[in-house]
Amino acid sequence: MAHLVLNIFVLSLTVALFINVTAVSVELKTNVTDRLQELHEIQEDLKIKSKQFETMMESEVGKLKEKVEFLETKIQEQDNLLKNCQVATSDAIGSLRNVEENNLKKTVLDPKTCLEAHTADPSLESGMYFIDPDGQGRGDDPIYVYCNMTTGSTSILHDSEDSIAVSHCFEPGCYTREIKYNATLRQMTMLSELSNVCHQSIQVDCYDAAFEFNGVPYAWWNDRNGDPRYFWSGVNNNSSDRYHTCQCGLDGSCKEKSLSCNCDSDLAIELSDVGILLEKDLLPVTKLNFGRTIAPTSINRHTLGRFECNGKVVLNGMPTSCQDLWRIGYILSGIYSIKGSSNKVETVYCDFTKLPGDEELQTWIGYADVKSEPVQFTVARKTSFSTLNTAISFDQETLNTGNALNTSTGVFAAPRNGTYFFAFSSFSESQYSTFSVDLHLNDATIANCVTSYALFYCNVPITLKLSRGDRVQVSLQQGSTNNAIFTGWLLAEDIFQ
């Protein structure tokens, strides 16, 4: 019985344990299933996200490829542009070289004027060229000008060549226009110095816009020094700085004969004043000024021509300054001879690193002892001479360079203009008799010497300013002589006769 009970208990325990294990197994299976499901879901989610990431990466890679292709295209464009620029630059340099070599055909120096360029190469055609009026390697940079190779003229361009309307205002000079040239004022001044003539045209179209009204100037132009000028054609033929005229005033052809300019008229018609300014030492025009255009009907338009220079300065005779030497092409600094103000040859130092207008251009050194031919003589009388009122002749000739003294007549004839020195010395033949001589210039007595008794020696020194052909002689007035000396020479010649 006990054994049965034990078996039943073991069985019961086994059944209970089985049931419990089964329950745990079921729960564990359920948990595993749930976990597997979660893992599956996670795996599916990862697949989706992986797919999305892959898609996104493919999109980004595509964008990057597009950007790379775009950048490659831009780089290619830049390369092409750079190559084009290099080609264009090379072409431009080649063109400039062609201009310099084939057009200007420069040797050592840039031409100072268009005329100089044309003279160097007559085959050049009219057009724009670089010139350097103040000289290569000094002063301002070369300037770009228009060369008329038919006439050799040089034209300087500016910003006011078109017709420009004047604004409405009343006060004198209330409208101002500064002229901007394609050159520096220094270069234009040097061009003027080198040229024979310079001019500049100007035209003013007007209606009720007087240059001058009731003696009050309302319009003027400024010269290269900045000074106001009131004449609108020709040159300033009046000593007054307020000289006012136009071309019609010079011709006597103004609409109103009592006026000097058409624009000064009150006539109810549009008029014009056209002129050419010719005073090269004042040009170019640097500023235009107008006023009295306040009325609504007032009209004023100005047109200014280019600054144009022609020809070459021609010196009449020897240069009178370093500036003259510069004008005719001297460029090496040094000591030079020039024609002085007193018709003497003067020595100066020219510093050609300076330009006309600079005080240091010329330094005066002194006078040069220049004679076209030497003139000097020494003659003597050793035999008795007693013919009164007659030029003493001479029988001995020690020196007679230039043969200006005729020993047989005793007359000296000046071969050149200049300053001469003479000296006459003589002893009376008898020491106790009166002895007298006169020194004559042409037919006039200019000096004399008288001796008597114990004073039997006579000496006459003199310096004379003579012209060519003047005669100098010593005439015996009293007594006689057998011992006389006459000497003379040219001290300084007036080279520029």
Side-chain angles (χ1 to χ4, degrees), residues 153-207:
S153 67
T154 304
S155 297
I156 309 294
L157 286 66
H158 60 79
D159 66 343
S160 301
E161 297 179 24
D162 296 330
S163 178
I164 299 174
V166 174
S167 57
H168 292 281
C169 59
F170 179 72
E171 297 297 327
C174 53
Y175 167 89
T176 294
R177 182 169 182 91
E178 185 175 350
I179 313 303
K180 297 179 181 179
Y181 289 90
N182 192 29
T184 63
L185 186 59
R186 179 188 181 97
Q187 287 282 40
M188 290 188 286
T189 301
M190 293 304 102
L191 175 63
S192 177
E193 290 284 346
L194 292 166
S195 304
N196 187 36
V197 293
C198 294
H199 61 270
Q200 195 164 13
S201 64
I202 185 167
Q203 176 174 335
V204 180
D205 304 313
C206 54
Y207 180 90

Side-chain angles (χ1 to χ4, degrees), residues 110-143:
D110 290 323
K112 291 184 175 181
T113 66
C114 293
L115 178 60
E116 186 176 311
H118 174 69
T119 303
D121 184 1
S123 67
L124 293 178
E125 297 181 355
S126 298
M128 299 298 295
Y129 292 86
F130 279 102
I131 64 171
D132 198 357
D134 65 3
Q136 188 181 39
R138 71 190 69 186
D140 294 347
D141 292 336
I143 56 178

Side-chain angles (χ1 to χ4, degrees), residues 221-358:
W221 55 274
N222 294 91
D223 63 23
R224 71 186 186 200
N225 299 314
D227 297 325
R229 301 291 172 178
Y230 301 89
F231 64 96
W232 298 89
S233 190
V235 298
N236 188 358
N237 288 323
N238 193 297
S239 58
S240 172
D241 291 336
R242 288 282 303 277
Y243 176 61
H244 172 66
T245 192
C246 295
Q247 187 61 45
C248 71
L250 298 174
D251 298 338
S253 60
C254 295
K255 292 295 182 181
E256 293 190 53
K257 301 300 182 183
S258 61
L259 300 177
S260 299
C261 296
N262 284 324
C263 286
D264 291 339
S265 173
D266 283 334
L267 296 175
I269 56 175
E270 186 171 342
L271 299 169
S272 294
D273 278 304
V274 181
I276 300 177
L277 301 169
L278 300 174
E279 197 155 348
K280 75 168 190 169
D281 291 338
L282 301 180
L283 296 173
V285 175
T286 57
K287 189 182 294 184
L288 292 171
N289 312 274
F290 296 95
R292 203 174 180 274
T293 58
I294 191 65
T297 56
S298 291
I299 297 174
N300 189 311
R301 294 186 301 273
H302 59 77
T303 307
L304 183 65
R306 297 174 179 178
F307 177 51
E308 184 173 346
C309 293
N310 302 76
K312 181 180 180 180
V313 171
V314 177
L315 299 182
N316 295 320
M318 188 172 177
T320 61
S321 64
C322 292
Q323 182 167 323
D324 282 350
L325 292 171
W326 178 86
R327 284 175 177 149
I328 60 177
Y330 282 73
I331 60 172
L332 296 178
S333 300
I335 296 175
Y336 292 88
S337 296
I338 61 171
K339 177 183 177 181
S341 58
S342 58
N343 281 338
K344 298 287 192 302
V345 176
E346 297 180 5
T347 301
V348 295
Y349 175 77
C350 298
D351 183 359
F352 288 119
T353 63
K354 311 299 181 183
L355 293 173
D358 294 334

